[in-house]
Amino acid sequence: MSEKQELTGTPEYDDLIRIQREAKEAIEKAGQKAVAALFKNFFATHSEVTGVAWTQYAPHFNDGEPCEFSIHDFNWTTRGDIDFEKLDHVYEDEDGWCSSWSSKGLDQRQREILEAVKTLRRASGDDVFKAAFGSDSLVIATPTGFHVNEYEHE
């Protein structure tokens, strides 16, 4: 919307809409920056990890309860050959991904990574992550940035 274009012909209302859009964009940028700093620290101390992925969405049905947005389990990988752009799901033990809720079969270093991933998950705030990456998303954090793919769920 250009500065002079009006939506409703009511300047007060149009100004409010403009302010709301600008605030939303500012929150998205600030959220992305804050989350990037969080993950930059993680990747600096866990250089063998090539990706941390999670889904975030509001369910379409919740057995009569309100459908509220949430971030789901974090998964991580040390594989370097994953095409993050085409990824549409992440499952434990599939294609080299490890779950943040299971330590079964992990060596000592992997257990340390698991604890760090759990710390990342605890630090994640639904509102900040939603502002940064949207809903219905599969988000993959890598040492070079984030890939956000559309996520279809039930």
Side-chain angles (χ1 to χ4, degrees):
M1 175 173 92
S2 71
E3 289 297 319
K4 295 183 180 182
Q5 181 181 8
E6 294 182 355
L7 295 174
T8 65
T10 307
E12 296 86 356
Y13 188 82
D14 290 344
D15 284 346
L16 180 61
I17 296 299
R18 180 188 50 76
I19 290 167
Q20 182 183 33
R21 286 182 183 160
E22 289 171 357
K24 183 178 184 242
E25 289 174 11
I27 290 169
E28 287 173 4
K29 288 178 184 175
Q32 290 169 356
K33 186 176 179 180
V35 175
L38 180 70
F39 278 89
K40 181 179 180 182
N41 184 46
F42 170 82
F43 285 116
T45 56
H46 303 91
S47 59
E48 63 268 59
V49 177
T50 57
V52 177
W54 66 91
T55 57
Q56 54 184 56
Y57 58 87
H60 299 300
F61 179 76
N62 194 21
D63 200 26
E65 296 296 318
C67 296
E68 297 181 4
F69 174 86
S70 62
I71 301 168
H72 300 274
D73 288 330
F74 280 27
N75 296 279
W76 56 276
T77 187
T78 56
R79 285 193 45 201
D81 61 345
I82 295 173
D83 186 350
F84 295 114
E85 294 292 333
K86 294 184 179 178
L87 200 62
D88 65 356
H89 68 276
V90 175
Y91 297 118
E92 179 187 10
D93 296 331
E94 185 176 299
D95 297 325
W97 291 94
C98 298
S99 172
S100 61
W101 54 267
S102 175
S103 62
K104 184 178 179 181
L106 299 181
D107 63 29
Q108 181 59 36
R109 179 60 179 155
Q110 291 171 324
R111 288 176 196 272
E112 292 170 7
I113 294 169
L114 172 65
E115 290 307 312
V117 170
K118 286 180 178 181
T119 299
L120 280 175
R121 175 60 185 99
R122 285 190 299 271
S124 61
D126 288 354
D127 292 338
V128 172
F129 276 53
K130 184 177 182 183
F133 305 114
S135 188
D136 300 326
S137 301
L138 168 63
V139 183
I140 308 101
T142 70
T144 59
F146 296 94
H147 302 276
V148 181
N149 300 339
E150 185 175 337
Y151 182 70
E152 294 187 23
H153 56 91
E154 296 180 12

